[in-house]
Every structure is written in C-alpha cells, then in structure tokens.
Amino acid sequence: MYLAELRFRVIADTDLTQAEQAIRAYIEALIFNGQVLGREFPTAWQQDAFSSRVVLASQDALASKWHSKRVRYAEQQLTVAGLGYAQLTLLGADLMSQQTCEALPKSLILFTSFADTCSPLRCAETLRPVPLFWLTAAEDDFEALIRWQIQYQALDEIQLQEDRVLPKIAENSLQQLHSKLNRRGRQLAQQISRLNQLPIWYALYSGSSSDCQQDANKCCPGCGADWRLATPRLEMFDFQCDNCQLLSNIAWECQSKQAS
C-alpha cells in the first residue's frame, strides 16, 4: 500500500464548507470503491489549495479506469465547488500497511479484523489484501462490503477490550455462523464470487469456548461435516469446509491455554 497526497487547487470562488463537502464526497467515493483505504483523510488548507493525505491500495489505484460512477460524479462536483481535479503525489510505500497482491489470485478469503486498514478480500494462498477495484461489484461500487467491514471491525474491537462493554453480544455476532453479521458477510462473499467466477472462502472467527477439548473437534456449523485440517491453512485456519466455503480456527482462548 502507498501513502499519497491529493492536492485540490482552488480554481474559482469557494468557501471552506463547500470545498470540504466536495472533497469529502470525492474521497468517500474512492473509499467505497476500494481505491482509498481506511476512513480518515486529514485535510489542510494551504492558501491556494487543499491537501489530503490518503493510503492507496496500489500505485495506480486512482487511475480513471478503476473509477466507479460515483467517483466520476464526485470528481465532476469538485469543479462545481471551485476546485480542480485531484493532483496526486505518491509519497512512497506505507510502512504501517500490509503488502497487497500484485495480481488477482485464483481464490480469495473474506477476512478482516479490528486492526486492519486494508481490503477485506485476501489472497487464499498468502492472505495478502486484494484491491477491490480489480473485481466486479454487485452494485456500482463496494459500499456494502466496506460497511460490513466497518461493523465487523467495531464488534471485533469491543470483544477484544480488557474492560469490555457488551462482550457477549459482540462475540456472538462474530462467532455464530447465523448471526446477522455473518449472514451478511457470507451473502456478500457469494455475490462477488458469482460475479467474478472466483471461489471466496468466508473466515468464521472463533475467540472463546466453554469446552476446549470439544472445540478442537467441532464439526462444520453449516453442514455438520468433519472439517478439521491435518495442518492449519496459512498457519491460522484449523478448519475448512469445501461444501460451505468456510474457514475457521480453534478458539484463540483454547490455543493460549494449550501454549501455557
């Protein structure tokens, strides 16, 4: 991933409110198309221009060929607000981000966590993030998937806090196959899989268990099949069900008890 600066030169009369709204709409459109990563984009007023710092999924992430209809419309609205199109300056590889795939993999995993600022679709062989704009979206862009990721990450952070608020609600949403969160995630994975003719595995999180011995031998929650792998996939997933396109792990709580 790459750190970049977007410079919006003032080309006509404008004001801070009008300019802020236009820049926000433009960058948010890029976020929902997977071209810009994360949800924060610090923006400064520099006399004759506005400057925003963003993280890009690839060096060519802002190429017009990747733009959604929403991005194109938001780009046009910049001029209505008295601003020029964004001038891009690549500042270099982002040292705090993960390295993205160099080409579209043959299979993917839908996987994310509260600490991620990358695409939730990963290479099934390396777990590297895959730029969303390489794929065909069910709608104009990937807003539904990004919003699912935001909800998932919020619940993941809640259930990992030491002084937790609503821990069971958060944990159940993440762990139970038929929770609203996981139903929606699997639906999105299936939609993108069909549109792109790519298998997409859904990573089902397992954090805690009341019976660690039983957890290590649990069956697939989707079809009841034996899905334990002889060797963990990607050193992370202990379970795999080809029928349900599911991956999961022995509860982290149980793994830590075994280690101790």
Side-chain angles (χ1 to χ4, degrees):
M1 302 177 200
Y2 295 85
L3 184 64
E5 181 179 77
L6 299 181
R7 189 171 184 269
F8 304 89
R9 190 168 60 87
V10 176
I11 59 174
D13 288 341
T14 189
D15 57 55
L16 287 176
T17 299
Q18 190 177 18
E20 184 271 336
Q21 290 176 346
I23 292 171
R24 180 177 296 278
Y26 173 66
I27 297 181
E28 285 183 348
L30 292 171
I31 289 172
F32 287 135
N33 200 40
Q35 294 170 270
V36 166
L37 302 171
R39 301 194 293 276
E40 296 182 1
F41 41 95
T43 301
W45 161 238
Q46 299 177 325
Q47 301 302 319
D48 63 342
F50 293 87
S51 178
S52 300
R53 288 288 177 95
V54 296
V55 176
L56 306 181
S58 65
Q59 292 190 60
D60 70 338
L62 297 192
S64 59
K65 63 181 179 179
W66 304 125
H67 288 353
S68 64
K69 292 178 182 178
R70 187 193 306 201
V71 171
R72 294 191 186 96
Y73 176 78
E75 190 173 52
Q76 293 170 358
Q77 293 307 298
L78 290 169
T79 59
V80 175
L83 304 175
Y85 283 6
Q87 297 173 314
L88 170 66
T89 301
L90 279 175
L91 302 177
D94 181 15
L95 299 180
M96 306 304 290
S97 297
Q98 301 180 53
Q99 186 176 358
T100 56
C101 290
E102 296 179 356
L104 183 63
K106 294 181 179 179
S107 58
L108 308 175
I109 299 174
L110 182 53
F111 170 83
T112 192
S113 73
F114 82 96
D116 291 336
T117 56
C118 61
S119 165
L121 286 175
R122 310 292 195 95
C123 172
E125 300 302 322
T126 65
L127 214 60
R128 285 186 179 182
V130 176
L132 294 179
F133 50 83
W134 287 355
L135 299 162
T136 300
E139 302 295 337
D140 176 51
D141 58 19
F142 293 91
E143 180 176 0
L145 184 62
I146 297 297
R147 291 199 179 280
W148 170 86
Q149 183 182 28
I150 292 170
Q151 293 173 5
Y152 190 105
Q153 290 176 329
L155 290 167
D156 190 31
E157 185 168 16
I158 288 171
Q159 64 96 23
L160 286 173
Q161 293 296 325
E162 186 173 344
D163 295 320
R164 299 189 294 175
V165 178
L166 304 175
K168 281 300 176 185
I169 293 176
E171 189 173 70
N172 288 343
S173 292
L174 295 170
Q175 292 196 163
Q176 294 178 359
L177 179 65
H178 300 295
S179 70
K180 185 175 181 180
L181 179 74
N182 285 326
R183 288 201 312 272
R184 182 57 174 156
R186 294 181 71 200
Q187 179 187 52
L188 291 167
Q190 290 164 4
Q191 286 177 348
I192 297 170
S193 176
R194 285 195 301 270
L195 283 169
N196 294 274
Q197 296 297 296
L198 283 174
I200 299 180
W201 302 86
Y202 186 80
L204 182 65
Y205 174 83
S206 181
S208 66
S209 175
S210 58
D211 187 334
C212 287
Q213 183 174 359
Q214 183 182 31
D215 193 80
N217 298 293
K218 61 191 174 186
C219 296
C220 172
C223 65
D226 179 4
W227 63 331
R228 179 72 186 268
L229 295 169
T231 303
R233 184 170 178 175
L234 294 165
E235 300 182 348
M236 179 180 294
F237 303 113
D238 304 288
F239 304 100
Q240 174 177 313
C241 180
D242 296 338
N243 181 55
C244 299
Q245 291 291 103
L246 283 176
L247 297 171
S248 193
N249 58 285
I250 296 173
W252 298 117
E253 178 183 65
C254 298
Q255 294 184 36
S256 62
K257 286 179 180 178
Q258 291 175 357
S260 60

